Every structure is written in C-alpha cells, then in structure tokens.
Amino acid sequence: MWPFKKRPDDAETDTVKFNDLLRDQGARQLLRALRERDWPTARDILTAADPEHFMFYMWCVSGADGLQEWIPDVIRAEPDSTLPLLARGAHAISWAWEARGSGTSSTVGEDQWKVWFQRLKLAENCLDEVIDRDPKCAEAWHYLIVLGRARQLPMEERWRRFNRLIEIDPAHLLGHQQMLENVMAKWSGSTEAMFDFARTRAAACPGTNIPLLVAQAHREQRRVEGSDKYLRRADVAGEIYAAAHNSFWHAGYQRSLMTPMVWNQFAHALTVGRYFREACGVYDLIGDDWINSTPWRTTERFVTMRDRARDKADDPDLDPDLDED
Amino acid sequence: MWSTKKKDDDVPEFCRFLDEDAEHLRRALRKQDWPTARGILEAADPEHRSHYFSVAATTVGVERWIADEPDSVLPLLLRGAGLLTSAWELRRDGLAGPLSDAGAELWSRLVRQAEECVDEVLRRDPGRADAWTWSIALSRALELPEQERRRRFQRLIEIEPDNWYGHEQMLLALSPRWGGSSEAMFEFARTRAAACPGTHIPALVVLAHREQIAHLAYLAEPDDPDRGEDLAYWEPEAVTDELWDAAHASFWHDDYEITLLTPIVWNNFAYAFAWGDFHKPAWSIFESIEDDWITREPWDTIKFFLRSRNYTRENL
C-alpha cells in the first residue's frame, strides 16, 4: 500500500469494480477538495471524522498530488492548528518516495537520495512539532512509525513510536501494518521479529482488524520463499484461517470502515491456502460493492480467484434469477 | 450456472449435490433461509435425510448464524456439525500434521463448542442417527479411546444399520491418520462390508484403501502440501481381488437398489478399477456414471476424471 499515487477506482470490467475509497462519501469529497486546493472543505471533513475515518482520510491526504505546493500557505494562515502541519508531514513521506522511486536501494541515484532524505527530514520536523503540541495525536505517531524505517532509525526508536501509538489507539490498523513493515527483514528487522510482532499483536487484539497482520506476515514470507506453495502448507494456511477467526469472524468483532480491506486480504489468502469454503463466505461479504485493489491488483485476478473458490467449494451462485422455487 | 465463465460443452462438470433438494438446501443455507432449509432437512427417508444433513453441515459459516429453537434439536446439531466442519480444516493431514499455536487454540475452541452442542442433542434426542454420526466424528477430534469410538458407532447402527455417513466417520475414526491403525481400519471396512451385503457399505473397502494411500503419501512427504498419491498402489492382485469382491457385495449384488448415494459408490469403484487396470469393469461403471454423475471425490478435478476414463477406454 505504500507508496501510492494512482488510485485504481476507475478500473472496470463488466460489473466488477474496485472500490478503494470504501464507498465513503467523505473520502470522495476530501479527494476532490484536495485536488481543488480547497482547504476549508478538507479541514471540515478531517475535523468531523472519528479516529478510524481520520486515519483513512489522512492516508488520502498523504497521497494527494501537489499538496506540498499549497499546504505551507495554510500552515502560515492557521498557526494555531496542528492539522495542516500533520498533513504536510504525512504527505512529505510519499513525496519523498516519489523522488526515490519504489525500487531497491541500488536503483536510486545520488541526487535522488539527497531529495529523499531532505523530504523525510521535512516530514519528521512537521510531525515532531505536531507531537510537541499534541502528544495524543495518533496519526502523527503513525507517520513517525513510517519514518522509522524510511530514515533507518534504530529499532528502539521505532518501537518507542509504535508503543506511543497503541497507548492512544490499541488497534490502529495502518499503524500496525507500518510497524509490521518496520520489523521485516527487508527493513533491517528479521523473519522472527516479523512473525513475533504479528502473532503478539493479533493475540493482544482479538475481535479486531489486527489479526490480519498474521496473514500479511505470511504473505511477506511467501514473497521471500518465492512460491504459493508456502501458503498451502497446512500450518501456514491454518494459521491464516485461525487469524480470520480471531478477526472478522470473532463474535466480538464490530464491522466498521476498514472491514472490507480486511475481507479482501483474507479472501485472497484463504483462496491461495485452499480454504475454499471459507473464502467463499468472505467473497459473499465482499459481494460486488467492496472489492479493493489490494491484494488483487486487477479485477480479472479477483474474478478468477473468486470463481475458482466457488467452484472448488460447490457454492452455487446466489443470483436470485437462478432460483427455481 | 456455477460461475460466470462460459463452459466448454464437451467438458463434463461435477455433480455436486446428487439431487435438486440438496442443491436448494445449500443455496437456502447460504441465504440464511432456515425455514426452507429445515423443510428439506426433515426428509422422511433416512438416506436422503443423512445426505441433506451432511450437505448442511458442510455449508460454510452455518454455525455462526443458526438460531436455537426450543422444540427442535436440529439447529443445535447443525451448529455442532458446522463447528466441527470448521475445525477439521485445521488438520488436513490428521493428528500428526503441524499446527500453529493460534491454529491449535482455535481447534480446541471449535471442537469443545461442537462437543457441547452434540452432547446436548444426544441428551435430548438419543435416537437421532445424524447426531451419532457427528458424535463419532467428534470422538477422533477429541482423541477418545477406541472403545468409546466403537461404542458410539454401535449406538448408530442400532438405529440405522447401513447409515453411509456414520460408517465413513467410523472408518476415519479407526484410520492411522486419526490415532487408529491400518489394521483396525481395514478390519472394520471388511467386517461391515460382510455385514451389509447389497448396500453401499462395502464401498468402505475402497475408502479404506484410499485412506491408506493418503497415509502412505503423508509419511513419504509430510512437509509437501502438494504431495501426490501413488496410483500404482491399486495394481497388485490382492488389492484388485478384494475390490472385485467388494463390488459384488455392493452395487453388483442382486439385492442392491440404485438410490441417492449410488453415485458415490460408482465413482469410488470406477477410480479403484481404473487404476487397478481392471479395464472392462471400470468401463462399465463409467458408462453408468456417464457425464451426469461424476462426484468430486475421489477425483478432485475433472481433468483427472477424464484422464482416468480415457485411460480405461484406451485399454479396453
């Protein structure tokens, strides 16, 4: 999910469409306001949001094209508000990524590195100032966690930031996902640290979105091992299945804004792990309305995997026209 | 009708439900339409009833929404069976297979909840055959002593002597993958085949051999989720002779009647005969199966079914 620029909301094949804005009116209005550089409207949407929506909206802000050109004026105009400062800090990270590119470090030139570190430093300064003035700002901690790995900070500092976040919001999904990245081997963590983090946090947050981390850790390990066969292993597939039970299938789970993101990732993992029956249950929840581009990338891929699961699970089509009685 | 993809007309499809009511049942349950489902589940004929219950019990997530009814144990039994179905998925390789900590925790939770449901049903309605079938299934999940597994089976056959699903569960309860042994499993299949001539039950002999192949494949490659099965297993004369006798005790028996579950018997024998190089008998079963009665088990893919059928035809 990081970095991102293009939003695949326009992708279309017949009736299957990606819906990365979670059918959220506020997110749509926010993106329009940001495109039009209409800060008063953006501010109203951001200010009225509950913590989960605010998390999602800041994610939209962080990817807004050209924000760096006009947000400094807002900061000057509203010196008492931390909101534009937070927006600038969060956005500067993806702006830095724009300079760096998403390849491995060997693909990055010397000048690009310079811009990358300048922009990350800008982000850090903005977010530090937000934290100085508003230490309970979960989103500032969330983006400071992202900076932890981008700026290659010591592990202790990455953990300090994460621990501050979960003191404020114990089940903050994007912050957890960012910390998972922080402890992966590719960001100078380790495989053990990654699984330990995912499992510990999943166990600490039953009935929330957080057990999704377990599926994501396995997905990273599958990338390392280079074959889906890893995800078909009985212990691996079974642990992902158990994670689904501890997340959205848990009796205490409450559906909210981010839930469809969780469904999509589990539907994919359960299908690859040959939990076809269970995957079908999740595809039913996703329906036509809640298909995210992550992790499918293309709508064709989504349709192929869904139909394969339904075929393997003997799940008949639910189209009411097909009912004889 | 199963997917939006266009199907090639020449390629047959699996017969997934054996009859229309079973298919309606699955669809009703996926829509959480309990009144329609209950109507189908209350079939009078024992074989139909046991089959419908098995279809209901393997409908994903049924245990998460089914509501208790004061006058009926059926929803409670279905919840228990659904919970256990969800638990089995964690142990695809039997008791010896690897399990994550979270998987083990979930397994214990689901099995315990399933046990509470099934025990309660048997307390309220001890004459319910489907409850005994699932109580046999629970006995291996709970790793109960063989004696207790056999006691539960005994209770089942006092009520319905040739209940197919209960026999299948008991075969698994005695299988090496679930804490039994190859000897106990084969002894059970042979004994029950002899006790139930002219029924589906002698097909248990095929099931026992299939279970044995799966067990051997697991022992050979415990860590490979894609491990294959050794088709040459079926070739020795000792195996083919036994299957020949089992077929004569089952669907080739004079007293055998073709009923709802017959395609299960046909497909199992067709598979065993095809790879036991018993081409003529295999072909005669493929002719009965036609394109209409291909069950998913034991083939798993249509491709493998066609390969088996073509192999038989080419060797006639």
Side-chain angles (χ1 to χ4, degrees), chain A residues 218-236:
Chain A
H218 281 303
R219 197 168 156 76
E220 170 64 10
Q221 191 58 22
R222 177 247 171 271
R223 193 188 63 76
V224 171
E225 302 215 355
S227 160
D228 277 351
K229 187 172 196 152
Y230 170 79
L231 293 172
R232 290 196 290 269
R233 275 171 39 180
D235 52 340
V236 173

Side-chain angles (χ1 to χ4, degrees), chain B residues 26-40:
Chain B
R26 171 63 58 83
R27 191 171 287 158
L29 288 170
R30 283 187 66 211
K31 288 197 246 178
Q32 307 189 6
D33 172 3
W34 177 241
T36 302
R38 186 180 48 208
I40 297 168

Side-chain angles (χ1 to χ4, degrees), chain A residues 199 229-243 245-246 249-251 270 273-281 284 303-304 306-308 310-320 322-325, chain B residues 1-5 7 13-14 16-17 20 23-24 26-27 30-31 36 57-61 63-64 82 85-87 89-93 97-103 105-106 109-110 223-226 296 300-301:
Chain A
R199 287 169 180 148
K229 187 172 196 152
Y230 170 79
L231 293 172
R232 290 196 290 269
R233 275 171 39 180
D235 52 340
V236 173
E239 187 171 16
I240 292 169
Y241 175 61
H245 275 271
N246 293 329
W249 278 333
H250 192 281
L270 291 169
R274 293 179 179 153
Y275 275 81
F276 297 118
R277 286 182 343 106
E278 293 69 19
C280 284
D284 282 355
V303 170
T304 303
R306 182 194 62 190
D307 290 353
R308 175 155 171 267
R310 286 185 172 168
D311 179 60
K312 286 284 192 184
D314 296 332
D315 257 6
D317 207 310
L318 278 180
D319 187 337
L322 295 174
D323 265 338
E324 288 103 287
D325 47 355
Chain B
M1 68 181 288
W2 303 110
S3 79
T4 49
K5 273 181 308 211
K7 289 276 160 68
E13 289 182 38
F14 285 124
R16 292 161 159 87
F17 296 101
E20 280 193 1
E23 186 186 332
H24 288 159
R26 171 63 58 83
R27 191 171 287 158
R30 283 187 66 211
K31 288 197 246 178
T36 302
T58 52
T59 302
V60 65
E63 71 274 17
R64 282 191 283 273
T85 303
S86 288
E89 300 275 7
L90 289 158
R91 291 202 178 267
R92 295 172 181 181
D93 294 327
L99 208 55
S100 64
D101 290 347
E105 193 271 329
L106 178 64
R109 172 155 46 107
L110 294 173
D223 299 327
D224 185 358
D226 303 331
R296 185 177 296 278
D300 191 44
T301 64

